[in-house]
Amino acid sequence: MPGFLHVTAADVSAVGPEAFLCVVGIALVLLDAFAKSLRPSFPYLTLGGIAVANFLGGYPSGSAFAGAIETSELTRFVDLLALAAVALATLGGGALLARDRRNQGESYALLLWSAAGLMLMVKGDDLLVVFIGLELMSIALYVLAAWYREVAEATEAAMKYFLMGALASTFLLLGVALVYGRLGSTRLTALKGALASGEGFSDPMLQVGLLAILAALAFKIALVPFHSWAPDVYQGMTTPAVAFLSTAPKAAAVVVAVKVLGTLAPSGLGEPWRPLLSLLAVLSILFGNVVALAQRDLKRMLAYSGIAQMGYVAIGLATFDGAAFEGILVFLAGYLATNVAAFLAVGALSNGEKEAHPLADVAGMGRRRPFAASVLTLAMLSLTGLPPTVGFIGKLLVFRAAIDAGLMTLALVGIFGSLVSAGYYLRVVYTLWMKEPSREVAAPEEDVLSGAAYILVSVAMLYLGVFPRLLLDLARAAARSLPY
Amino acid sequence: MLDSSTPIQWLGADILTTLVFLPSLGALLLLLLPNGAKNAIRAVALLASGATFALSVLVLQRFNPAIAGLEAFRPLLVDRPWIPRFGIRYLLGVDGLSLILVVLTTLLTLCVLVFSFGQTIPKLRGYVAAFLVLETGMIGSLVALDAVLFYVFWEVMLVPMYFIIGIWGGKRRIYATMKFVLFTLAGSLLMFVAILFASGVHAKATGILTFSLLEWIPAASSGAWSLTASEQALLFWAFALAFLVKVPLWPLHTWLPDAHVEAPTGGSIILAGVLLKLGTYGLLRFAIPLFPGAAARYTPLIAVLALIGVVYGAWVAAAQKDMKKLVAYSSVSHLALVVLGIFAGNVTAVSGAVMQMVGHGLTTGLLFLLVGVLYERRHTREMADYGGVASQVPVTTTLFVIAMLGSVGLPGLNGFVGEFLILAGVFKANVWWAAFAATGLILGAIYLLTLTQKVFWGPNRVEANLGLTDINGWELAGALPMIVLVVVLGVWPQPVLDLVRNSVETVVQIASVRMVP
């Protein structure tokens, strides 16, 4: 092992995008402090930073920092998801925050830092790097949850998210400690070697360790029964931040779960892991969808819908083979475009970030704001999984993998969940187009940036639904670079 | 004339692709127009649906009905990879069965749009766009030969219909449209799982990952698919349920009266004229040829449900006071007879069923259209609000009487051919079924004649009807092609029977192999 502080150019380039995002974030905070007049240009600076970071993302596959970091097609795929999520949240969110004059540089910086954290988390081959990445991602989001600190719901959301998130982090550390205690390393590759030669995976201490790590990740993914923070946080957090929170971090946590499971259970999922993940999937799908039916606040509804959607991902986790991983990645990418679209449109069709987002407020918006209403409609159809949207492609792949692996029950539960979900997703659609408005809602006109965001997400939802090959090829390459 | 094996290219796209997406192109074009440009909207509507109809007639002309079996698809087949890794293909093709329904679809869409110009329809742009997107979904479902592609088009039909009922519908439109969507979706999602499972089993058995019917059907008849009996039964029901909900067969029919009553006239015409037929089409194209053993095993059960449907639909229709509801329940009865014909399993009955699918599309479409003419003027569909209006609206009355007699099955009109062939075929299969089904037809004559008598004949009891104006130019232009076909196909049904003979014989032959493992 080379010297501890010996950092090569290859090491730097492996974390180039993260480093650059952090620097841009710091620059934005400083600019906000010393050159407030530049505030209108912050979205452009952020987007420019994301573009450069994306350019820096062309690093080669391999290990860096003496094996603490492992880069691959998969990490590039997650980079792409994270950058897309921040870019879209910035494009569509600037106007929402500017309405209340709360578009300070920090609002962009925190998103960038959070993205950097989740990208680092996925690259970590050392579980401690994973932990650091997860913390960077989460702490930025805790702060964003309290962005409107004068609003009671926002403070509540931040407190709840922080306390429960801290507990989840503790679980992760506990799990890492137990794994280290048993196998003497925190490196996934080293663990894999130790397991291959050693007594294998029946060891109870290892099992408890893995359980703790999975619980922490399930918390970030918001799977039942680790979901209880989601509705309150979604409701209290600013809409652009939720658009990010509900997509990219969940995707990253899912990928880390796949990596950890693949390392500690190299010969495929056996007892008790497959039944356990199946249970998480079934509970999330049934609970999320049924409770979402009863919601009258759009953001809370989308929170429960997100729980159910991650239940479909958990079907892929329980299936645990190459086809399922590919399906998961496609599903996550489609979900990202769709859910960001949904949140941006919900934000644009509301009275403002400080108020609730009742479903009744979007009544008649089909006529008043046809553009944003169409985006929201498309997002609802994609979340339902109706073709020809990208939501259909994701479900097609995940369900196909599950059925091929003989997990028919899971697929049927998923299908049943989809049917229930049509009930509340389509309720949004008819409220938009078929109901008369009950009260005056501010819902400002789109500016250029949010218009661009709407077009991007709509094209993504439709184009990838009709011509999914681009996404499938990316996901295929990414899934292949998983070492199992 | 060109050899029928020459692929037809139009602007670089093959003819079937153009046929499927031309209407959607029109819908896209509409987005560029301002909402108020009524004449431009009408022009685009006419152009898109008219060109699609003309194209379907061109395909009809190029189609060679003499080719038997699955080879019939070959000359116009479009086969491109779509999602190659999962063996999902962009596979389009027509045989006689799908082609006659495609032409029915393009004709009815054109008629509906022309008809709508004579009616007061708010937000005309969206209305026309919804029908054009719907047309893409309908044609696509009929020509898709890849199961996943079929499923995609099948679901694409759902959204425009959801909007058509939900935006332009009556008072309880939201309830009706949600019920329509959830019923249909419940069936189609099951079918989706069945499609995925079926391909998985097929891949394991044959080593070929495919969703193509052209490979599935031979595998099913040769037994190469190696489905166990219980797998076949489950798959059959998953497919059949999706289609029987759409038909709809008693007791899955409850969404239909709601949807029909609340839908705007154009929506009702397309719903009755095409969407219901896609259910029976699906039985003939998927459920029976893919799982012939299970289809044979469950024929008695489905036949009993169909017989109940025939009588129940007629019986309930006879009790209705609302004209639209009456016609809706008559559809339940008529379509149940079609299902009975399909499951009778001989060439006569299945030919009759296909004939009746076309005939019902025309006559019931017309009945809905003419009820829509009256409703537009009086804003009521209660029979009691009319009476003796024949002297006020002589043209409407004449058209209604022709459509009604066609629906009743008067010889010389098109409904007779289908019903007669179905009954003759069912008689061969099972005398009791035929006897029972015939009673439903007699009931049908009673309620439709009563309807006509109550609305058009007798003394004029309601003063408001004295000022009733007759059908206007656009409305008439929409109705005329359908009326003409009702008469022409009644007198001279042979072209349709010739067109579909080979498809029907293929289905019947596959079904009669009855590979019960």
Side-chain angles (χ1 to χ4, degrees):
Chain A
M1 192 165 147
F4 185 67
L5 284 176
H6 182 78
V7 175
T8 65
D11 293 344
V12 176
S13 96
V15 292
E18 287 90 339
F20 190 74
L21 289 183
C22 289
V23 171
V24 174
I26 293 167
L28 282 168
V29 173
L30 291 176
L31 279 176
D32 195 80
F34 298 108
K36 281 199 174 50
S37 58
L38 286 179
R39 239 180 229 177
S41 68
F42 287 174
Y44 298 97
L45 288 177
T46 311
L47 290 171
I50 292 166
V52 175
N54 182 40
F55 175 72
L56 292 174
Y59 46 73
S61 300
S63 63
F65 288 102
I69 280 188
E70 188 82 41
T71 55
S72 63
E73 299 285 338
L74 180 67
T75 64
R76 269 199 287 279
F77 188 84
V78 175
D79 282 0
L80 218 57
L81 291 189
L83 294 175
V86 191
L88 291 170
T90 307
L91 275 174
L96 300 178
L97 295 177
R99 258 200 277 178
D100 304 316
R101 302 181 172 283
R102 294 300 282 274
N103 52 343
Q104 286 95 331
E106 290 89 335
S107 67
Y108 303 104
L110 287 164
L111 278 184
L112 292 175
W113 293 333
S114 182
L118 77 87
M119 285 152 71
L120 185 68
M121 170 167 101
V122 174
K123 280 178 191 164
D125 185 60
D126 193 313
L127 286 171
L128 289 174
V129 175
V130 173
F131 176 75
I132 290 169
L134 181 114
E135 285 300 287
L136 177 55
M137 169 183 99
S138 305
I139 290 171
L141 290 173
Y142 301 149
V143 180
L144 274 174
W147 193 242
Y148 287 88
R149 60 175 181 273
E150 69 276 22
V151 179
E153 280 85 6
T155 323
E156 183 198 341
M159 279 309 287
K160 212 166 188 170
Y161 193 25
F162 172 66
L163 289 176
M164 296 174 85
L167 187 65
S169 302
T170 320
F171 267 100
L172 180 59
L173 272 185
L174 174 70
V176 174
L178 286 172
V179 170
Y180 179 77
R182 192 70 195 79
L183 294 173
S185 174
T186 53
R187 295 274 163 89
L188 289 177
T189 32
L191 295 179
K192 204 173 167 69
L195 277 171
S197 58
E199 67 264 53
F201 192 57
S202 51
D203 186 88
M205 192 163 156
L206 263 184
Q207 299 227 0
V208 173
L210 180 56
L211 191 66
I213 295 174
L214 280 184
L217 293 171
F219 171 85
K220 293 294 168 197
I221 306 169
L223 285 172
V224 174
F226 306 99
H227 65 283
S228 61
W229 57 274
D232 290 327
V233 171
Y234 278 42
Q235 194 184 18
M237 207 175 203
T238 62
T239 313
V242 186
F244 175 80
L245 159 87
S246 64
T247 53
K250 286 187 180 183
V254 169
V255 170
V256 170
V258 171
K259 280 176 72 169
V260 172
L261 273 171
T263 306
L264 296 185
S267 50
L269 280 190
E271 301 280 335
W273 303 106
R274 181 174 269 179
L276 199 71
L277 286 168
S278 304
L279 186 68
L280 290 184
V282 169
L283 286 178
S284 301
I285 291 169
L286 294 181
F287 177 84
N289 279 322
V290 170
V291 178
L293 267 181
Q295 302 303 313
R296 289 296 176 273
D297 183 285
L298 278 170
K299 280 167 97 175
R300 289 187 80 85
M301 186 207 92
L302 283 171
Y304 287 104
S305 114
I307 292 169
Q309 298 279 343
M310 287 305 123
Y312 304 132
V313 173
I315 291 183
L317 283 180
T319 310
F320 212 77
D321 56 23
F325 297 145
E326 199 178 331
I328 288 176
L329 295 178
V330 170
F331 188 99
L332 288 170
Y335 176 70
L336 186 139
T338 307
N339 223 39
V340 168
F343 274 109
L344 291 184
V346 163
L349 295 176
S350 71
N351 248 334
E353 290 301 296
K354 292 186 194 175
E355 289 189 38
H357 294 68
L359 175 65
D361 272 8
V362 301
M365 283 297 176
R367 219 167 315 151
R368 281 190 56 207
R369 293 279 172 278
F371 192 19
S374 303
V375 173
L376 188 52
T377 303
L378 203 54
M380 292 299 123
L381 298 180
S382 181
L383 284 173
T384 314
L386 286 181
T389 59
V390 70
F392 165 70
I393 302 291
K395 278 190 182 164
L396 170 73
L397 263 61
V398 169
F399 289 154
R400 201 195 79 98
I403 290 171
D404 269 5
L407 300 173
M408 192 46 129
T409 319
L410 282 184
L412 285 174
V413 169
I415 288 297
F416 174 72
S418 299
L419 181 64
V420 174
S421 75
Y424 59 86
Y425 290 135
L426 291 180
R427 183 160 59 206
V428 177
V429 178
Y430 75 62
T431 309
L432 282 169
W433 299 95
M434 306 169 198
K435 288 245 170 167
E436 291 307 316
S438 52
R439 67 172 184 140
E440 202 52 42
V441 176
E445 294 284 349
E446 294 88 20
D447 63 338
V448 182
L449 286 184
S450 51
Y454 290 156
I455 290 174
L456 279 176
V457 287
S458 306
V459 167
M461 281 188 280
L462 279 178
Y463 180 82
L464 295 177
V466 181
F467 304 104
R469 222 189 269 182
L470 173 75
L471 178 57
L472 290 175
D473 287 346
L474 277 177
R476 170 107 164 152
R480 259 211 215 118
S481 66
L482 281 165
Y484 0 90
Chain B
M1 204 178 130
L2 280 169
D3 178 32
S4 64
S5 62
T6 327
I8 308 168
Q9 297 278 322
W10 189 76
L11 289 183
D14 55 84
I15 194 164
L16 290 183
T17 303
T18 317
L19 184 64
V20 171
F21 292 103
L22 193 59
S24 285
L25 208 65
L28 273 182
L29 205 60
L30 283 172
L31 286 181
L32 304 176
L33 294 175
N35 220 337
K38 208 169 166 186
N39 284 328
I41 293 168
R42 286 178 173 182
V44 172
L46 273 182
L47 209 67
S49 59
T52 310
F53 173 63
L55 208 58
S56 68
V57 173
L58 185 69
V59 176
L60 186 64
Q61 193 206 340
R62 291 290 167 87
F63 180 73
N64 179 0
I67 308 175
L70 297 177
E71 285 302 307
F73 294 107
R74 205 64 65 186
L76 289 174
L77 198 70
V78 181
D79 187 0
R80 280 189 224 129
W82 180 32
I83 309 180
R85 210 152 53 252
F86 303 111
I88 301 171
R89 283 191 271 165
Y90 177 76
L91 188 65
L92 306 180
V94 283
D95 66 347
L97 171 65
S98 50
L99 192 49
I100 189 67
L101 293 174
V102 166
V103 175
L104 179 73
T105 304
T106 55
L107 177 74
L108 284 187
T109 308
L110 178 63
C111 288
V112 159
L113 290 178
V114 170
F115 169 78
S116 70
F117 300 158
Q119 301 233 316
T120 38
I121 288 163
K123 296 173 257 177
L124 184 67
R125 183 178 68 152
Y127 185 80
V128 172
F131 274 99
L132 290 176
V133 174
L134 181 61
E135 193 179 7
T136 287
M138 295 187 294
I139 301 175
S141 307
L142 288 168
V143 301
L145 292 178
D146 180 285
V148 173
L149 189 66
F150 169 79
Y151 175 78
V152 167
F153 282 120
W154 183 266
E155 297 291 39
V156 163
M157 293 191 296
L158 204 55
V159 177
M161 204 42 159
Y162 172 74
F163 280 109
I164 289 170
I165 301 176
I167 295 183
W168 291 276
K171 278 198 186 67
R172 291 167 67 242
R173 59 183 190 274
I174 292 181
Y175 169 76
T177 200
M178 281 304 284
K179 195 168 174 182
F180 161 73
V181 168
L182 292 179
F183 265 70
T184 314
L185 205 57
S188 60
L189 283 172
L190 268 182
M191 176 172 73
F192 179 55
V193 172
I195 289 173
L196 295 178
F197 181 70
S199 91
V201 176
H202 184 272
K204 278 190 193 105
T206 63
I208 305 166
L209 184 55
T210 182
F211 290 86
S212 159
L213 277 188
L214 301 182
E215 295 183 51
W216 278 10
I217 291 176
S221 354
S222 70
W225 209 336
S226 63
L227 290 166
T228 67
S230 59
E231 279 171 350
Q232 227 195 82
L234 286 172
L235 287 171
F236 170 76
W237 277 111
F239 275 89
L241 272 177
F243 299 134
L244 292 176
V245 165
K246 204 84 166 183
V247 168
L249 190 69
W250 185 88
L252 304 166
H253 67 284
T254 62
W255 62 271
L256 183 83
D258 286 310
H260 263 314
V261 169
E262 299 306 324
T265 303
S268 291
I269 297 172
I270 293 295
L271 198 56
V274 183
L275 292 198
L276 309 189
K277 272 61 189 194
L278 280 162
T280 45
Y281 167 80
L283 293 173
L284 284 171
R285 179 67 82 229
F286 289 86
I288 294 175
L290 291 181
F291 316 108
R297 186 153 16 128
Y298 295 106
T299 291
L301 173 59
I302 292 178
V304 167
L305 293 180
L307 285 171
I308 295 175
V310 170
V311 176
Y312 169 88
W315 201 266
V316 178
Q320 296 305 316
K321 297 187 171 65
D322 179 307
M323 294 191 275
K324 235 179 164 183
K325 241 185 176 154
L326 186 150
V327 182
Y329 277 106
S330 86
S331 285
V332 173
S333 175
H334 281 127
L335 264 295
L337 187 68
V338 173
V339 172
L340 188 66
I342 288 173
F343 279 89
N346 55 53
V347 174
T348 319
V350 177
S351 307
V354 176
M355 198 65 211
Q356 179 67 347
M357 281 154 76
V358 178
H360 176 265
L362 295 170
T363 52
T364 305
L366 269 169
L367 290 177
F368 276 122
L369 185 148
L370 295 164
V371 170
V373 169
L374 292 179
Y375 181 78
E376 168 85 2
R377 286 152 180 77
R378 289 276 287 109
H379 294 283
T380 171
R381 290 183 300 254
E382 293 289 314
M383 281 188 255
D385 289 335
Y386 295 91
V389 297
S391 49
Q392 269 77 40
V393 288
V395 181
T396 311
T397 308
T398 314
L399 297 178
F400 195 92
V401 169
I402 298 174
M404 179 274 293
L405 291 175
S407 189
V408 167
L410 185 78
L413 295 174
N414 147 298
F416 170 76
V417 186
E419 287 187 353
F420 178 79
L421 288 175
I422 293 177
L423 281 184
V426 172
F427 190 82
K428 273 192 249 171
N430 188 320
V431 181
W432 291 107
W433 295 358
F436 207 69
T439 59
L441 298 184
I442 297 167
L443 277 172
I446 295 174
Y447 63 77
L448 282 170
L449 288 167
T450 313
L451 165 71
T452 317
Q453 190 251 327
K454 275 188 185 162
V455 172
F456 294 98
W457 311 134
N460 197 331
R461 293 183 309 265
V462 185
E463 203 147 312
N465 290 334
L466 289 176
L468 204 61
T469 54
D470 210 341
I471 190 166
N472 66 33
W474 284 117
E475 290 168 339
L476 187 62
L480 267 185
M482 292 154 76
I483 280 284
V484 169
L485 278 180
V486 168
V487 179
V488 170
L489 293 183
V491 184
W492 194 38
Q494 203 55 43
V496 175
L497 293 173
D498 286 342
L499 180 65
V500 301
R501 193 198 305 116
N502 268 320
S503 319
V504 168
E505 277 173 2
T506 307
V507 174
V508 169
Q509 191 228 325
I510 292 169
S512 64
V513 175
R514 304 201 170 165
M515 293 287 308
V516 187

